[in-house]
Amino acid sequence: MISRHWIGIVRNDKVDEYISHLESSVFPNLTKIEGLQNAYYLKRAVREGTEFLIVTEWDSFDAIRIFAGPDYEKAVIDPYAKTLMVSYDRIVKHYSI
């Protein structure tokens, strides 16, 4: 199994909006992709805003490619989420579980 990690920093005044977006749109859409095992976030206060670590767990890199495309190390960020961000990783990290 593969754990995919991505970090984005959300403006403090947009944290509730971002969490709502994750829970009502992003995570439900991810569950439709075959090979996804789990998706969750961790958050913490940082100087620039609130940092979110988005963690998804997948059966394989093939499953990740279904979600992210052939360049599976490139971050997938929907345009709406970008409007809530101060900054975000362009590249994700993958870890074996």
Side-chain angles (χ1 to χ4, degrees):
M1 199 150 66
I2 308 297
S3 184
R4 179 179 169 97
H5 295 208
W6 174 82
I7 293 175
I9 299 176
V10 175
R11 296 189 337 241
N12 281 330
D13 63 329
K14 297 297 183 180
V15 168
D16 290 341
E17 200 171 330
Y18 184 66
I19 290 170
S20 176
H21 177 64
L22 287 174
E23 293 175 349
S24 66
S25 181
V26 175
F27 290 160
N29 285 327
L30 284 174
T31 62
K32 298 174 185 174
I33 301 171
E34 186 175 337
L36 178 76
Q37 293 299 317
N38 199 10
Y40 59 93
Y41 66 87
L42 305 170
K43 66 182 177 117
R44 68 182 184 130
V46 294
R47 183 173 39 95
E48 303 90 347
T50 300
E51 180 182 277
F52 281 80
L53 169 60
I54 307 299
V55 179
T56 53
E57 296 172 353
W58 302 85
D59 288 338
S60 66
F61 282 112
D62 288 336
I64 293 170
R65 284 184 189 95
I66 292 168
F67 162 66
D71 189 6
Y72 65 90
E73 291 187 326
K74 185 177 178 184
V76 177
I77 312 153
D78 79 31
Y80 174 70
K82 287 180 182 180
T83 69
L84 308 176
M85 302 273 171
V86 173
S87 64
Y88 51 86
D89 291 346
R90 296 330 194 251
I91 302 294
V92 300
K93 295 178 182 152
H94 294 99
Y95 298 88
S96 296
I97 297 177

